Amino acid sequence: MSPLPLSLLLLFCAAAASLWTGTAGEVPTCSGIVPMRYRNDKISIADFGGVGDGKTLNTKAFREAIYRIQHLKRRGGTLLYIPPGEYLTESFNLTSRMTLYLARGAVIKATQETRNWPLVAPLPSYGRGRELPGARYMSFIHADGVHDVIITGENGTIDGQGDVWWNMWRQRTLQYTRPSLVEFMNSRDIIISNVIFKNSPFWNIHPVYSSNVVVRYVTILAPHDSPNTDGVDPDSSSNVCIEDSYISTGDDLVAVKSGWDEYGIAFGRPSTDITIRRITGSSPFAGIAVGSETSGGVKNVLAENINLYNMGVGIHIKTNMGRGGFIRNITVSHVYMEDVRTGIKISGDVGDHPDGNFNPNALPAVKGVRLNGIWGQRVIQPGLIRGLKDAPFKGVCLSNINLHSAQRTRSNTPPWKCSDVSGGSVQVSPSPCFELASTNGAGGCSDHFQNL
C-alpha cells in the first residue's frame, strides 16, 4: 500500500478538531451532531490502479477500492486517499464507515460520456424523476443506506463537468432526470467538509431520507446560467447542519424540501431541525429557500448570519396548492443582501406538479415564519407575501428589517405586496403592507416581539 504523507495525517487531525462543537464563548456550531472519525486504516486510489492524468478512466479503481473497504472491514473504518491529479471516472457508490479524502490538487472528475450512465428508481416522495417521468440518472457520487461516511480533504475538487447535461436540458434531449453531484439516501452520520464542488449536472449536495448530516467548510460553484444547480438541498431529512460555506450557483443556494404533491403527502416524511449558518453566496434565484416541494412538511429551520450578493430573491419560502404538508417554525435572522431583485418572498403559487393527479384541495399550512435583523442595499422590491385564499399564511413576524432600493420607489407603487397573510412587524423599512403593519403582536407574533 502507498504510504500517506505526514502532512495528510496532521491536516486530517486538524479537520477533525475543527468539526467538534465549540465550547462556550466560541463561534456557535451545530456540527457536533456528527463526530469526525479518525481512520487507522488508510488506502490510496493509486493502490488500485488509479491514474490522475485527466484522461484515464478510473471507474474500476474507485469501485475496487470501495469494494475492499466494504468487504475487508477494518475497525474504525477506512480512509480512501485521492492524491493530487485529475481522476476521470464514471459514477460510483460509497459504503459505510469510510472517508473519501481529497488531497490539495486532487480532482475527481465525472466523465461526460452519458450513454451508459446508470439509472436508479425515482424517489417515492416524488413519484417520478424531478424533471421527467420514470427513473432518474444516479448521482455522480452516490450512497444509499450507509452510515458513518465522511467526504473531506485539503480543498480538493469534485467536478461534475455538467455542461453536457445542461445542454441536453436546454435542447430538450434528456431521457431522464439529470444526476445530482452527491446524493445520500436513507443514510445517517454524514460529514461533508473542506471540498470544492463544481459544475454539477443538477443539484449539488442532496441528502434525502437521511439524518445527522453536516455540510461545512465547502465551496460550491456553477455558472449562474446553469439550470437547477442548487447548492445544498436537505430533503425529507432531519438534524442537518450547513455552515461556513460559499455557494455560487445557477439556482437556490440552500433549499429545504420534503416531497412533491400526492407522493410527498403519502410518503409523509418531513424535513426537521435544519440549521443554516454563515453562508455567503450569489445566485439568480434564492439565497435561503424552503420549498417548493414541501408536501411531507418542513419545520424547525434556523438560518442566521447569511450574506447574499447579486441575488434573484434573498429569502424565499414557496409552496403551492396541491402540495399539502406544512411549513412552520422558520426563523431567519442576521442577513445582509446586496443587489437583489426581491428581498423577502413568501408565496403560495410557486412550482409545478408531477402529474395531473394532485389534489387541488390539498392546501399547505404555513405558520410561524420569523424574520429578524435583515439589511439590504439596492433591493428592487423589499417584500412579496402571497398566501392562499383558502389557506392564509399565519404568524409572519417581521422585525428590524431595512431593505433599501438604489432608486426611490415611485409613490404609486407599494414597496410590499401582500395578500392572505396575517402577522405583525416592528421596525421595518420601508413600511410593510397593512396586513403586517401591526406592532401589538397580533397574528401570532407576541412572543417573537417580546423576545427581541
Side-chain angles (χ1 to χ4, degrees), residues 160-197:
Q161 294 208 99
D163 56 333
V164 64
W165 298 97
W166 307 334
N167 288 333
M168 284 193 289
W169 180 85
R170 294 176 182 124
Q171 296 162 10
R172 302 184 182 229
T173 57
L174 278 170
Q175 293 182 290
Y176 303 97
T177 295
R178 286 171 286 157
S180 296
L181 195 55
V182 177
E183 181 176 83
F184 284 92
M185 293 178 56
N186 306 302
S187 298
R188 58 182 170 83
D189 300 330
I190 308 300
I191 295 174
I192 302 173
S193 75
N194 300 90
V195 174
I196 299 168
F197 298 87

Side-chain angles (χ1 to χ4, degrees), residues 278-279 302-307 315 331-337 371-375 399-400:
R278 296 184 297 275
I279 302 298
L302 170 64
E304 60 182 2
N305 299 315
I306 311 296
N307 292 286
I315 301 157
T331 301
V332 183
S333 68
H334 301 99
V335 177
Y336 176 77
M337 59 181 75
L371 309 178
N372 174 55
I374 299 171
W375 184 276
S399 56
N400 301 318

Side-chain angles (χ1 to χ4, degrees), residues 64-254:
E64 287 186 353
I66 293 167
Y67 183 90
R68 185 270 196 197
I69 296 171
Q70 183 177 11
H71 293 277
L72 190 59
K73 297 179 180 178
R74 301 300 191 188
R75 184 174 180 178
T78 298
L79 182 147
L80 174 58
Y81 177 67
I82 313 301
E86 290 190 1
Y87 297 85
L88 186 68
T89 177
E90 298 172 315
S91 62
F92 59 90
N93 287 278
L94 302 179
T95 190
S96 294
R97 301 170 71 243
M98 74 167 287
T99 295
L100 179 64
Y101 192 101
L102 286 79
R104 186 174 303 278
V107 181
I108 301 176
K109 183 174 288 189
T111 177
Q112 291 192 309
E113 176 54 68
T114 64
R115 287 179 297 178
N116 297 320
W117 201 283
L119 297 174
V120 292
L123 294 168
S125 59
Y126 285 74
R128 46 160 278 183
R130 184 58 186 84
E131 296 182 291
L132 292 166
R136 58 201 182 100
Y137 291 107
M138 189 177 89
S139 61
F140 176 48
I141 298 178
H142 191 73
D144 189 355
V146 303
H147 65 276
D148 184 15
V149 175
I150 301 168
I151 301 175
T152 191
E154 304 164 61
N155 288 321
T157 300
I158 297 174
D159 184 353
Q161 294 208 99
D163 56 333
V164 64
W165 298 97
W166 307 334
N167 288 333
M168 284 193 289
W169 180 85
R170 294 176 182 124
Q171 296 162 10
R172 302 184 182 229
T173 57
L174 278 170
Q175 293 182 290
Y176 303 97
T177 295
R178 286 171 286 157
S180 296
L181 195 55
V182 177
E183 181 176 83
F184 284 92
M185 293 178 56
N186 306 302
S187 298
R188 58 182 170 83
D189 300 330
I190 308 300
I191 295 174
I192 302 173
S193 75
N194 300 90
V195 174
I196 299 168
F197 298 87
K198 62 184 290 188
N199 297 329
S200 176
F202 191 54
W203 300 343
N204 275 270
I205 300 174
H206 185 217
V208 58
Y209 317 145
S210 295
S211 63
N212 299 343
V213 178
V214 172
V215 179
R216 196 179 189 206
Y217 300 139
V218 302
T219 300
I220 303 176
L221 304 173
H224 275 197
D225 64 349
S226 58
N228 310 106
T229 50
D230 298 28
V232 186
D233 285 2
D235 197 343
S236 292
S237 293
S238 60
N239 296 321
V240 178
C241 175
I242 305 165
E243 290 185 334
D244 301 301
S245 296
Y246 178 81
I247 306 173
S248 178
T249 63
D251 212 314
D252 299 341
L253 306 186
V254 177

